[in-house]
Amino acid sequence: MPVNFPGTRRKRRRARVRVAGIGVALVAAVVGVAMMRGRDTGLAAFDGDDPGVIHVHGLGAAPGDKALYAATHAGVFSIDPA
């Protein structure tokens, strides 16, 4: 007859829950990548032309000259105050 140590069942249950969680996360990642495949980002339509500041993801100021920068899908742009 096997000996049951205190906490053994709890450890096994935690391990199963952890493995199930990792499995769900892995499936979600694979589905997400599959859905993004072949998706048009819109940047190909610019064909080298300067699209300007579009879809801004971040703004930053340079501490030295106080210049304002905008980070976009098309690059980083310096914003003139004029």
Side-chain angles (χ1 to χ4, degrees):
M1 181 155 99
V3 178
N4 270 338
F5 293 104
T8 304
R9 283 186 177 177
R10 186 179 304 153
K11 287 180 184 176
R12 286 186 193 150
R13 184 166 188 262
R14 284 183 184 166
R16 283 189 209 122
V17 168
R18 203 173 289 132
V19 168
I22 291 170
V24 168
L26 204 60
V27 169
V30 169
V31 169
V33 168
M35 290 176 65
M36 294 297 288
R37 259 187 143 170
R39 185 174 173 203
D40 184 18
T41 62
L43 291 179
F46 296 126
D47 261 348
D49 294 336
D50 182 9
V53 180
I54 57 167
H55 195 105
V56 175
H57 277 267
L59 295 173
D65 59 359
K66 305 287 186 203
L68 178 64
Y69 293 95
T72 72
H73 280 279
V76 178
F77 296 89
S78 177
I79 310 296
D80 293 326

